[in-house]
């Protein structure tokens, strides 16, 4: 098995909205993603292609969260109500678990969450 080496040009090509994010910041986000997805020969995600995708989604998720925080936040979830006079908008993520809530704040995190469902099940070993 191998480990995923973060490919900045490939990441910026796949996720062009982050082309303006500094390379050191993206490297740091990749290091953070590696804390969530084991990027060693002992990883449960044995496919290097799948692990690359999952790590990239997490880097995009963290980058999006940082950009949203820097710009004063962003709307998360589906719009549950809206008002026009004095502008009021409410968003709802629907029923979520505490673990899931952090991931589904961006489309990248939601994709990651859906793709990793098979790894969040119990595995019986003899």
């Amino acid at each position: 098995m191998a480990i995923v080496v973060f490919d900045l040009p490939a990441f910026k090509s796949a996720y062009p909205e982050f082309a303006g994010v500094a390379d050191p910041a993206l490297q740091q986000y990749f290091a953070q993603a590696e804390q969530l997805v084991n990027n060693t020969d002992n990883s449960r995600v044995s496919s290097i292609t799948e692990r690359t995708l999952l790590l990239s989604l997490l880097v995009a998720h963290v980058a999006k969260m940082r950009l949203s925080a820097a710009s004063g936040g962003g709307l998360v979830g589906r719009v549950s109500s809206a008002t026009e006079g004095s502008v009021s908008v409410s968003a709802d993520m629907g029923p979520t678990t505490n673990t899931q809530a952090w991931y589904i704040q961006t489309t990248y995190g939601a994709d990651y969450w859906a793709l990793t469902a098979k790894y969040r099940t119990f595995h019986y070993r003899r």
Side-chain angles (χ1 to χ4, degrees), residues 105-121:
Q105 293 183 61
T106 69
T107 55
Y108 309 112
D111 288 348
Y112 170 86
W113 186 259
L115 290 170
T116 56
K118 63 186 173 187
Y119 298 111
R120 290 190 305 276
T121 60

Side-chain angles (χ1 to χ4, degrees), residues 64-96:
K64 185 71 170 180
M65 298 269 288
R66 298 292 186 266
L67 289 173
S68 291
S71 67
L75 189 63
V76 175
R78 61 181 180 247
V79 174
S80 58
S81 69
T83 310
E84 193 171 324
S86 292
V87 186
S88 171
V89 177
S90 296
D92 179 5
M93 290 193 293
T96 61

